[in-house]
Amino acid sequence: EELRGFELKNVLGQWAMITVVETENNGNTYTNISNINPVPAAIKKNGLPDGKNELKIFSIDEPDMELFESFSDNLKNKIRQSPEWDRLYGSAPIASAQPVNNSASPANFDNMEDDLPF
C-alpha cells in the first residue's frame, strides 16, 4: 500500500544521506546505492548546501519530449523498452507519443498529504 502511494516527485530536491558500494561482476565495476537515510538533525542545523543540478522529472504518462531528447541514447532506449511505455504508447514513434489507453494509467496522488520520512 505504501508503494502505491509513493510519488517520486515528492522526493525530488529533498536531501538524504546515501551509502554507495562498489561491486565487481564479470570484470565490470558497478556503483550502487545500498542505503538511504534522512539527513541527521546536527547536519541540518548547520544548513544544507544548494543543489548543483536543475531538478527535472520525466513521466511516461505525460512525457516531456524536449526533456526526453536530452537523455542519452541508452536511457531513451530503456524507456522505449519499458512495459509502461509499451502499455501506453505501443510501438508509436517517440516524437508522436500519444496514449493508446488511458484507462490503464496509474492513480493520481497529487492531492496526497506530503508524508516524506525525511
Side-chain angles (χ1 to χ4, degrees), residues 37-118:
N37 290 301
V39 176
I43 293 175
K44 282 185 181 179
K45 183 174 146 182
N46 290 322
L48 297 170
D50 292 331
K52 180 178 177 179
N53 298 312
E54 182 181 348
L55 301 177
K56 298 178 182 183
I57 191 164
F58 181 80
S59 170
I60 288 178
D61 294 320
E62 298 173 15
D64 174 344
M65 298 318 292
E66 187 175 328
L67 176 59
F68 180 87
E69 289 303 322
S70 72
F71 297 157
S72 69
D73 289 340
N74 186 39
L75 180 56
K76 287 191 271 191
N77 286 332
K78 285 185 183 287
I79 293 169
R80 286 185 193 116
Q81 294 168 4
S82 72
E84 295 85 0
W85 184 268
D86 188 54
R87 175 177 48 84
L88 291 172
Y89 308 107
S91 59
I94 199 76
S96 63
Q98 296 295 321
V100 293
N101 181 359
N102 283 334
S103 65
S105 295
N108 185 345
F109 294 100
D110 286 342
N111 297 326
M112 281 185 65
E113 183 178 321
D114 186 6
D115 61 349
L116 294 176
F118 49 87

